[in-house]
Structures are given as C-alpha cells and as structure tokens.
Amino acid sequence: MGMNKNTVLAWATFIMIVVGCALILLGAFRYDDVAGWGFASVGIGFFAIAWVFNALKGRV
C-alpha cells in the first residue's frame, strides 16, 4: 500500500486540524490568562497551514 503525494497531504491536513483543535481547546479551557490567547492563536495558525496543504492537493 503506497502513499502518493495527495494522500500524504490529506493526512498532514487531518493531523494539523486535530492539533489545531486541541490547541484552541487548551487555550479556551485550560489556560485562563494571557497564555490562553497564545495557544488559541497558534491553533488558528495550524488551521491556516492545514488550509494551504488542502489547497495543494492535486497540484504537486
């Protein structure tokens, strides 16, 4: 079972969405101070990179 480039990008997108959700949830529920804002903003950044990976599928 080989993985081509599109499959790798799909898995990377899925993993980054899961990690982004985890970071946003950590920022919302675990850290109530300024660190929570940092966790949430990094989670949103993970979503942006996952969006780029999703857009690259079929083009590389």
Side-chain angles (χ1 to χ4, degrees):
M1 181 177 104
M3 291 178 60
N4 59 10
K5 292 180 235 179
N6 289 332
T7 309
V8 171
L9 284 172
W11 275 106
T13 302
F14 176 72
I15 291 169
M16 292 199 77
I17 287 173
V18 169
V19 172
C21 285
L23 286 170
I24 290 173
L25 291 175
L26 270 174
F29 295 116
R30 175 69 173 91
Y31 298 104
D32 294 333
D33 51 351
V34 179
W37 289 100
F39 273 92
S41 63
V42 170
I44 292 171
F46 267 74
F47 281 162
I49 296 170
W51 182 20
V52 170
F53 282 170
N54 192 25
L56 284 176
K57 283 192 306 190
R59 289 182 169 75
V60 286

